[in-house]
Short mmCIF file of all heavy atoms in Angstrom, two decimals:
data_model
loop_
_atom_site.label_atom_id
_atom_site.label_comp_id
_atom_site.label_asym_id
_atom_site.label_seq_id
_atom_site.Cartn_x
_atom_site.Cartn_y
_atom_site.Cartn_z
N PRO A 258 96.73 124.31 108.30
CA PRO A 258 95.38 124.64 108.80
C PRO A 258 95.28 124.38 110.28
O PRO A 258 96.10 123.78 110.92
CB PRO A 258 94.52 123.67 108.14
CG PRO A 258 95.48 122.47 107.88
CD PRO A 258 96.85 123.14 107.61
N HIS A 259 94.22 124.88 110.92
CA HIS A 259 93.93 124.63 112.34
C HIS A 259 93.58 123.17 112.39
O HIS A 259 92.77 122.52 111.80
CB HIS A 259 92.69 125.49 112.72
CG HIS A 259 92.47 125.05 114.24
ND1 HIS A 259 93.19 125.71 115.22
CD2 HIS A 259 91.41 124.36 114.80
CE1 HIS A 259 92.73 125.12 116.40
NE2 HIS A 259 91.58 124.51 116.12
N HIS A 260 94.27 122.52 113.34
CA HIS A 260 94.29 121.16 113.55
C HIS A 260 93.69 120.75 114.81
O HIS A 260 93.82 121.30 115.93
CB HIS A 260 95.64 120.48 113.44
CG HIS A 260 95.68 118.94 113.16
ND1 HIS A 260 95.50 117.96 113.99
CD2 HIS A 260 95.81 118.31 111.97
CE1 HIS A 260 95.48 116.84 113.45
NE2 HIS A 260 95.73 116.94 112.34
N ALA A 261 92.97 119.62 114.93
CA ALA A 261 92.20 119.18 116.19
C ALA A 261 93.23 119.07 117.22
O ALA A 261 92.74 118.96 118.49
CB ALA A 261 91.45 117.89 115.83
N HIS A 262 94.52 118.60 116.95
CA HIS A 262 95.42 118.29 118.00
C HIS A 262 96.27 119.44 118.27
O HIS A 262 97.32 119.15 118.81
CB HIS A 262 96.20 117.00 117.69
CG HIS A 262 95.44 115.82 117.62
ND1 HIS A 262 95.08 115.21 118.82
CD2 HIS A 262 94.73 115.09 116.66
CE1 HIS A 262 94.21 114.08 118.51
NE2 HIS A 262 94.02 114.02 117.30
N ALA A 263 96.07 120.62 117.68
CA ALA A 263 97.11 121.70 117.78
C ALA A 263 97.28 122.13 119.17
O ALA A 263 98.48 122.46 119.60
CB ALA A 263 96.52 123.01 117.09
N ASN A 264 96.33 121.77 120.16
CA ASN A 264 96.73 122.20 121.58
C ASN A 264 96.54 121.05 122.53
O ASN A 264 96.26 121.35 123.75
CB ASN A 264 95.71 123.38 121.91
CG ASN A 264 95.98 124.68 121.19
OD1 ASN A 264 97.08 125.19 121.17
ND2 ASN A 264 94.96 125.21 120.51
N SER A 265 96.51 119.85 122.07
CA SER A 265 96.30 118.80 123.00
C SER A 265 97.50 117.90 123.29
O SER A 265 97.47 116.92 123.81
CB SER A 265 95.23 117.78 122.28
OG SER A 265 95.58 117.37 121.11
N GLY A 266 98.71 118.40 122.83
CA GLY A 266 100.00 117.70 123.31
C GLY A 266 100.28 116.45 122.58
O GLY A 266 99.88 116.27 121.50
N TYR A 267 100.89 115.50 123.25
CA TYR A 267 101.46 114.33 122.58
C TYR A 267 100.36 113.39 121.99
O TYR A 267 99.31 113.16 122.64
CB TYR A 267 102.05 113.51 123.70
CG TYR A 267 102.98 112.33 123.12
CD1 TYR A 267 104.02 112.41 122.27
CD2 TYR A 267 102.47 111.02 123.40
CE1 TYR A 267 104.80 111.42 121.77
CE2 TYR A 267 103.27 109.93 122.98
CZ TYR A 267 104.29 110.13 122.12
OH TYR A 267 104.86 109.07 121.69
N THR A 268 100.50 112.94 120.80
CA THR A 268 99.49 112.10 120.07
C THR A 268 99.87 110.72 119.57
O THR A 268 99.22 110.02 118.92
CB THR A 268 98.94 112.93 118.86
OG1 THR A 268 100.07 113.05 117.94
CG2 THR A 268 98.36 114.22 119.22
N GLY A 269 101.13 110.34 120.13
CA GLY A 269 101.61 109.02 119.77
C GLY A 269 100.83 107.94 120.18
O GLY A 269 100.80 106.89 119.64
N GLU A 270 99.98 108.07 121.31
CA GLU A 270 99.22 107.08 121.85
C GLU A 270 97.67 107.23 121.44
O GLU A 270 97.03 106.30 121.17
CB GLU A 270 99.31 107.01 123.33
CG GLU A 270 100.71 106.90 123.89
CD GLU A 270 101.25 105.45 123.66
OE1 GLU A 270 100.51 104.59 123.22
OE2 GLU A 270 102.34 105.16 123.95
N THR A 271 97.27 108.51 121.43
CA THR A 271 95.90 108.78 121.25
C THR A 271 95.50 108.93 119.83
O THR A 271 94.34 108.54 119.43
CB THR A 271 95.51 110.14 121.99
OG1 THR A 271 96.36 111.15 121.32
CG2 THR A 271 95.78 110.02 123.40
N ASP A 272 96.33 109.29 118.97
CA ASP A 272 96.03 109.37 117.48
C ASP A 272 97.34 109.06 116.71
O ASP A 272 97.94 110.07 116.19
CB ASP A 272 95.58 110.82 117.28
CG ASP A 272 94.94 110.97 115.76
OD1 ASP A 272 95.18 110.10 114.95
OD2 ASP A 272 94.31 111.96 115.46
N PRO A 273 97.62 107.89 116.43
CA PRO A 273 98.98 107.60 115.85
C PRO A 273 98.95 108.09 114.39
O PRO A 273 100.04 108.42 113.85
CB PRO A 273 98.92 106.06 115.75
CG PRO A 273 97.53 105.64 115.98
CD PRO A 273 96.81 106.73 116.92
N GLY A 274 97.80 108.34 113.67
CA GLY A 274 97.85 108.81 112.34
C GLY A 274 98.34 110.23 112.44
O GLY A 274 99.04 110.67 111.45
#
Side-chain angles (χ1 to χ4, degrees):
H259 179 77
H260 199 279
H262 292 283
N264 295 307
S265 59
Y267 187 71
T268 61
E270 304 288 356
T271 58
D272 190 348

